[in-house]
C-alpha cells in the first residue's frame, strides 16, 4: 500500500477513535511511543493503551500539514484538535515517525506535548 493511502487510513481510524482500527495498522510486535510516555510493545497492548487514551477524550481530529517518505520511514506533521469531555477543545502540533514493513508499522513514535490537553481549566 502506498504510504499516503496507508497514512490517511491510519488517521481516519484515529479520528473515529477506533482503537482496533488503529491497531490494525500495526505489526504484531510493533513498538508505540506517545510523547514521553513509556513505549508499549505488541499490537494488543498498544490497542489497550490507545483505547484508554480515547476514553479520556470527547473527540479528536487531525489535519496533516505535510508528510515525507524515506525508504521504509514515513514522517508526518500537523495539528490535532482534541475535544475534551467537557466539550471544550484545544489544538496542538504533532509530528509522527513510523517505520513500515509489509504494509504495517513496526515502530510508531508520536512527538507531541499533551500537557495543555490535561491542564486544569483556568
Amino acid at each position: 500500500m502506498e504510504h499516503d493511502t496507508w497514512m490517511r487510513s491510519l488517521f481516519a481510524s484515529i479520528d473515529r477513535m477506533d482503537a482496533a482500527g488503529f491497531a490494525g495498522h500495526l505489526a504484531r510486535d510493533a513498538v508505540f511511543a506517545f510523547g514521553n510516555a513509556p513505549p508499549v510493545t505488541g499490537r494488543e497492548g498498544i490497542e489497550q493503551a490507545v483505547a484508554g487514551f480515547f476514553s479520556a477524550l470527547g473527540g479528536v481530529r487531525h489535519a496533516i500539514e505535510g508528510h515525507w517518505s524515506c525508504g521504509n520511514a514515513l514522517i508526518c506533521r500537523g495539528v490535532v484538535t482534541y475535544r475534551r469531555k467537557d466539550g471544550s477543545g484545544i489544538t496542538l502540533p504533532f509530528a509522527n515517525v513510523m517505520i513500515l514493513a509489509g504494509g504495517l508499522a513496526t515502530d510508531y513514535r508520536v512527538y507531541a506535548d499533551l500537557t495543555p490537553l490535561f491542564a486544569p481549566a483556568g
Side-chain angles (χ1 to χ4, degrees):
M1 179 184 302
E2 180 189 343
H3 286 181
D4 182 68
T5 303
W6 183 89
M7 181 190 67
R8 295 200 184 284
S9 174
L10 170 83
F11 280 101
S13 68
I14 297 169
D15 289 351
R16 288 190 310 270
M17 297 197 321
D18 176 3
F22 172 79
H25 290 84
L26 308 175
R28 285 189 156 308
D29 60 348
V31 175
F32 176 70
F34 195 121
N36 55 2
V40 179
T41 301
R43 184 186 297 153
E44 290 178 11
I46 296 167
E47 181 179 344
Q48 291 173 5
V50 169
F53 177 67
F54 287 162
S55 73
L57 303 174
V60 62
R61 186 181 69 247
H62 288 81
I64 306 299
E65 296 177 339
H67 62 91
W68 305 267
S69 295
C70 180
N72 64 344
L74 174 61
I75 301 114
C76 66
R77 69 173 179 84
V79 295
V80 55
T81 301
Y82 293 106
R83 192 173 70 249
R84 297 181 182 105
K85 293 281 191 172
D86 69 3
S88 66
I90 187 167
T91 300
L92 302 169
F94 73 90
N96 292 358
V97 178
M98 297 153 277
I99 306 300
L100 305 178
L104 299 171
T106 59
D107 191 285
Y108 189 123
R109 309 290 167 143
V110 178
Y111 297 92
D113 178 8
L114 295 181
T115 306
L117 175 61
F118 296 109

